[in-house]
Amino acid sequence: MATTQSRPQERTARELLTQGRPLFLGVDGEGAAHYWDSYEFAVAVVKADGDAEKVVLAETPFETLSEWCEYTRGEHGWDIGSHVGGSLVGDLVRGVEA
């Protein structure tokens, strides 16, 4: 039976962000899910234990989503998500930065 229930990490991200359906970026090497909100230009980082934070890119040294993804790749690695291969996130970043 199909369900419309979202994952707990996604529900937490929705509570942190303005955008009703933030874009799932992936899960880093430490198990934290990352969600992008293009309205706020922010990333919700939700750990497997439920701890979460909203990272507004303007309050960091990272100016673009691409820089955030590269930072995360360098610090934690990416385990799950389209940016492991780079194609979908690369397309998204190019679209956002255009």
Side-chain angles (χ1 to χ4, degrees):
M1 177 184 223
T3 180
T4 58
Q5 295 287 330
S6 61
R7 289 168 275 174
Q9 288 177 311
E10 182 179 347
R11 285 192 299 270
T12 301
R14 287 180 182 187
E15 292 172 6
L16 288 174
L17 301 170
T18 300
Q19 196 167 356
R21 297 229 5 113
L23 177 69
F24 174 69
L25 296 175
V27 176
D28 68 27
E30 295 181 356
H34 295 244
Y35 293 85
W36 172 247
D37 183 325
S38 61
Y39 297 145
E40 293 186 75
F41 216 68
V43 177
V45 180
V46 185
K47 296 180 180 179
D49 66 5
D51 285 346
E53 69 176 315
K54 176 169 69 172
V55 180
V56 178
L57 292 190
E59 298 171 0
T60 72
F62 313 109
E63 295 181 17
T64 65
L65 177 58
S66 176
E67 289 176 356
W68 174 261
C69 289
E70 285 305 312
Y71 163 76
T72 302
R73 181 186 315 276
E75 290 293 313
H76 310 287
W78 288 109
D79 280 348
I80 300 170
S82 55
H83 41 285
V84 171
S87 61
L88 180 61
V89 169
D91 291 346
L92 171 67
V93 168
R94 283 188 292 278
V96 169
E97 293 178 343

